[in-house]
């Protein structure tokens, strides 16, 4: 039987994001910005829940076609990607209406999401490849609740969306590669039986992502999210009075974002801090990337709110800013579990304080000024880099002392 091999660059050729993929990622800029705006003002539990739900949906739609382009390579159908890009633009445009409880926009977002997922499913069927590393990209179980939600009202609609996301995660973590291949082979045998007069049905092949190219695409998404933090502060500063407090906050926000960039890229992989290439399977690394990006986008929204409240932060905004940084470091600890040697000491010395200190600042920092609070978060974020540099300096000092 014939197999359809995935398109790959020539041997020894470095593969980078194409212009089409970069154009596609521009929609991520709009989507992240719209979703981050849900956390403006003084967000409550409902706003936070809606933010998590929509961010997961948007990221899921994005990763389905990121993986498709990654595997297809030069065989990527531009019309398919552009159609998905239009759907994601509809989702991004509908976010404010969903927040305001508009049924029309909520249905438009659900329809766009369903069509994107079905389009991804069709693209994979056309290639006759099985992506075992991320089965949710080609299995449509999680889409069913989104279809049902077209006839539901809020809050039932949102619960159905959450169920769809939960089913995707369930499929991702519970369906094994063996099960996927066995089901596809059984489907092929049925197709062969039905079409014996027309000839045999081509067999499917197993697709493996291009790790370096995927890392670049994932890193670009994180860069987009960090850039949203800059955009949030600039937007808020353009409407605020320029005085010492604003200057201090702008400097603190800049140092905070630079420190996060350093952790995510100079000390990380694919935008995830302390993750290394192939240290985790894609099924674990991709959700980690999603959650890290979600924490950074929430932190970006918190920085924008900080520029609007230069005296003291409202309680909900203070908790948003601090807990998103704490979550970022918690995920950092998960990524570092596969690091060789000294993990236990590193967790106690870096991850635990970086997770707990922001929460302590949130809980007991009601009297802190906004600028002082953000600078404290800068100090927390710089601690891992300082710890690593101090630990790396000790062997050099020991060697120098031995030589003397």
């Amino acid at each position: 039987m014939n197999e359809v091999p995935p398109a790959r660059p020539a041997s020894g050729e470095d593969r980078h994001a194409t212009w089409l993929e970069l154009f596609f990622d521009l929609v991520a800029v709009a989507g992240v910005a719209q979703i981050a705006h849900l956390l403006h003002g003084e967000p409550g539990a409902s706003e936070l829940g809606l933010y998590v739900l929509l961010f997961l949906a948007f990221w899921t739609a994005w990763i389905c076609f990121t993986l498709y382009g990654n595997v297809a390579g030069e065989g990527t159908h531009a019309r398919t990607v552009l159609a998905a890009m239009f759907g994601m633009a509809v989702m991004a445009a509908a976010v404010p209406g969903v927040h305001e409880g508009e049924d029309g926009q909520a249905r438009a977002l659900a329809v766009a999401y369903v069509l994107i997922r079905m389009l991804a499913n069709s693209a994979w069927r056309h290639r006759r490849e099985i992506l075992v590393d991320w089965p949710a990209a080609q299995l449509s179980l999680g889409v069913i609740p989104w279809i049902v939600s077209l006839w539901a009202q809020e809050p039932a609609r949102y619960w159905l969306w959450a169920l769809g996301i939960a089913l995707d995660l369930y499929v991702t973590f519970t369906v094994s590669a063996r099960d996927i291949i066995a089901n596809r082979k059984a489907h092929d045998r049925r197709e062969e039986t039905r079409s014996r007069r027309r000839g045999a049905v081509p067999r499917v092949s197993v697709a493996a992502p291009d790790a370096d190219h995927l890392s670049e695409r994932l890193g670009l998404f994180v860069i987009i999210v960090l850039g949203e933090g800059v955009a949030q502060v600039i937007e808020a500063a353009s409407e605020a009075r320029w005085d010492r407090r604003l200057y201090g906050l702008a400097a603190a926000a800049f140092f905070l974002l630079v420190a996060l960039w350093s952790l995510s890229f100079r000390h990380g992989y694919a935008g995830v801090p302390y993750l290394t290439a192939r240290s985790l399977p894609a099924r674990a690394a991709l959700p980690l990337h999603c959650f890290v990006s979600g924490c950074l986008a929430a932190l970006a929204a918190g920085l924008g709110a900080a520029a609007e409240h230069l005296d003291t932060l409202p309680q909900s905004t203070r908790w948003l800013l601090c807990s998103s940084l704490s979550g970022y470091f918690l995920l950092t600890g998960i990524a570092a579990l596969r690091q060789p040697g000294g993990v236990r000491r590193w967790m106690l010395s870096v991850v635990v304080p970086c997770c707990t200190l922001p929460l302590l600042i949130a809980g007991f920092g009601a009297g802190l000024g906004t600028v002082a609070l953000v600078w404290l978060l800068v100090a927390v974020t710089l601690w891992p880099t300082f710890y690593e540099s101090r630990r790396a300096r000790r062997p050099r000092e020991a060697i120098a002392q031995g030589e003397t």
Side-chain angles (χ1 to χ4, degrees), residues 85 96 101 107 162 195 242:
M85 189 169 77
R107 288 193 178 93
S195 59
W242 287 35

Side-chain angles (χ1 to χ4, degrees), residues 130-147:
I130 300 173
L131 186 67
V132 295
D133 288 325
W134 192 256
Q138 47 195 152
L139 299 179
S140 303
L141 179 63
V143 179
I144 297 174
W146 286 79
I147 297 174

Side-chain angles (χ1 to χ4, degrees), residues 189-249:
R189 285 194 293 269
R190 291 194 297 269
E191 289 296 318
E192 283 185 357
T193 302
R194 293 173 185 170
S195 59
R196 277 178 181 171
R197 295 181 181 178
R198 299 193 299 270
V201 176
R203 296 291 186 184
V204 297
S205 60
V206 176
D210 183 321
D212 292 336
H213 175 262
L214 183 59
S215 169
E216 182 183 22
R217 294 294 305 283
L218 296 176
L220 285 171
F221 190 91
V222 174
I223 284 290
I224 287 170
V225 173
L226 289 172
E228 178 57 23
V230 177
Q232 293 271 353
V233 175
I234 291 174
E235 181 181 352
S238 65
E239 300 176 359
R241 180 185 175 188
W242 287 35
D243 55 18
R244 268 196 208 172
R245 292 177 302 173
L246 183 62
Y247 300 149
L249 178 67

Side-chain angles (χ1 to χ4, degrees), residues 18-34:
T18 65
W19 293 115
L20 176 62
E21 289 171 327
L22 293 173
F23 190 25
F24 182 77
D25 286 345
L26 284 176
V27 183
V29 178
V32 169
Q34 290 286 68

Side-chain angles (χ1 to χ4, degrees), residues 58-121:
F58 190 85
W59 185 91
T60 299
W62 177 81
I63 198 63
C64 284
F65 279 90
T66 296
L67 289 168
Y68 165 65
N70 174 272
V71 171
E74 294 180 358
T76 301
H77 290 181
R79 285 177 296 181
T80 301
V81 175
L82 292 173
M85 189 169 77
F86 179 79
M88 290 181 64
V90 172
M91 288 179 64
V95 168
V98 173
H99 183 215
E100 295 169 3
E102 297 288 342
D103 286 341
Q105 281 91 327
R107 288 193 178 93
L109 187 145
V111 168
Y113 180 80
V114 169
L115 291 178
I116 290 170
R117 294 295 303 277
M118 299 307 293
L119 189 62
N121 185 281

